[in-house]
Amino acid sequence: YGLPESSLINIRIYDDAGRYVTTLIDGVRTAGTYTVTWDAHDAPSGIYLVRLEAGSHHAVKKAMLIK
């Protein structure tokens, strides 16, 4: 993800039923481009929702985990 300015970032993972799975990032980040890795060794294969909150911006993307 890329940030044009410093802001509070929160990235959470939810399963396809909308249940909370884990938080990947929860804190302030400076402007720049970042990469996030999810250690999903204990999660089953399936569709997940990745919710990113950065300041007033919110986005949800689908992700498929295949083991």
Side-chain angles (χ1 to χ4, degrees), residues 42-56:
D42 59 344
S45 295
I47 303 293
Y48 291 87
L49 303 173
V50 181
R51 179 174 171 86
L52 175 124
E53 298 176 19
S56 63

Side-chain angles (χ1 to χ4, degrees), residues 9-51:
I9 302 297
N10 186 293
I11 299 177
R12 292 184 179 143
I13 306 289
Y14 296 88
D15 66 12
D16 61 346
R19 293 180 297 244
Y20 170 80
V21 175
T22 191
T23 298
L24 300 180
I25 296 176
D26 187 18
V28 175
R29 298 291 186 269
T30 58
T33 303
Y34 297 89
T35 302
V36 178
T37 302
W38 175 27
D39 179 7
H41 71 275
D42 59 344
S45 295
I47 303 293
Y48 291 87
L49 303 173
V50 181
R51 179 174 171 86

